[in-house]
Amino acid sequence: MERLCRTAVCYAMSDSDALPPDGLEERHIQPRRWRYRHASPASLIVIALFLLVACLGFLGGRPHPVHIADDGRVRLTVATADTLRSGMFFETRVLIEPRRPIGDVVLAISPQLWRDMTINSAIPAAEKEEFSDGMIRMSFGPGEPGKPIAIKFDGQVNPPLVGSTAGEMVVFDGDRRLAAVPIAMRVLP
């Protein structure tokens, strides 16, 4: 019986086994050149790029940008995510600061802004909620200077929403428009 040794592995071969098995050739047994012995750095580069994109916040997860509108009578501040992912929970914080007395502080929201989203809670709850003039309106009663109204909305992006959504949040004194903040959100799969 003859012994066939290639690299560090020896195979016992009889005369009938002189040919390698089907599918294997002599080139499969030959030692490889140095550059072919190691893993390709391409996989490491691809993983590093994914991590870099995620760490820079391109896929969401950055601090919420703050949008401010001030018309002298009221200051409206809205902090909400500008990049979300499908199925993600999010928070929107709204601060209404009256500078002059307001008879009825109404926060109106474009329905397009929260299209295909579920709003789980609004704290504090509005005294009155309605849909009129193409907007969702929440009434919080009279507003006094120095007594801000802070509202927190918790929501979730529904799976059908991919792409972007935009609308505005507006503060009214009853039916009189005071200040508005345009908001746009990008939704990734």
Side-chain angles (χ1 to χ4, degrees):
M1 185 180 293
E2 176 186 346
R3 289 185 65 82
L4 176 64
C5 293
R6 305 274 185 200
T7 63
V9 180
C10 292
Y11 301 96
M13 298 180 67
S14 64
D15 290 338
S16 63
D17 293 333
L19 296 174
D22 288 341
L24 292 180
E25 300 172 3
E26 187 69 24
R27 67 182 171 92
H28 293 124
I29 302 171
Q30 295 296 320
R32 301 186 127 213
R33 286 188 276 176
W34 179 85
R35 70 177 185 184
Y36 295 112
R37 278 190 235 160
H38 301 285
S40 168
S43 59
L44 182 62
I45 291 169
V46 169
I47 290 172
L49 285 175
F50 277 126
L51 288 173
L52 181 67
V53 166
C55 289
L56 291 176
F58 292 121
L59 302 176
R62 291 183 292 197
H64 296 338
V66 177
H67 308 277
I68 299 172
D70 192 340
D71 78 336
R73 296 172 288 190
V74 67
R75 177 181 170 112
L76 173 62
T77 306
V78 179
T80 190
D82 60 352
T83 303
L84 297 168
R85 290 183 302 276
S86 183
M88 184 176 178
F89 289 96
F90 69 95
E91 176 181 277
T92 298
R93 293 180 312 275
V94 178
L95 183 63
I96 302 169
E97 299 172 273
R99 302 279 169 84
R100 296 183 184 152
I102 299 175
D104 185 18
V105 177
V106 176
L107 176 65
I109 301 166
S110 303
Q112 304 90 317
L113 180 62
W114 286 341
R115 169 184 57 89
D116 286 328
M117 294 185 188
T118 302
I119 303 303
N120 299 321
S121 65
I123 300 170
E127 292 177 1
K128 180 182 174 189
E129 297 174 349
E130 65 179 350
F131 182 84
S132 102
D133 296 328
M135 298 189 91
I136 301 163
R137 294 172 178 260
M138 294 171 260
S139 174
F140 292 93
E144 299 293 327
K147 292 185 179 178
I149 300 168
I151 308 158
K152 178 180 174 266
F153 296 99
D154 291 313
Q156 181 177 6
V157 180
N158 294 335
L161 180 58
V162 175
S164 64
T165 182
E168 64 179 355
M169 290 193 174
V170 184
V171 174
F172 286 88
D173 181 358
D175 290 328
R176 189 176 70 197
R177 185 180 175 111
L178 300 177
V181 170
I183 298 172
M185 295 180 186
R186 183 172 57 137
V187 181
L188 304 173

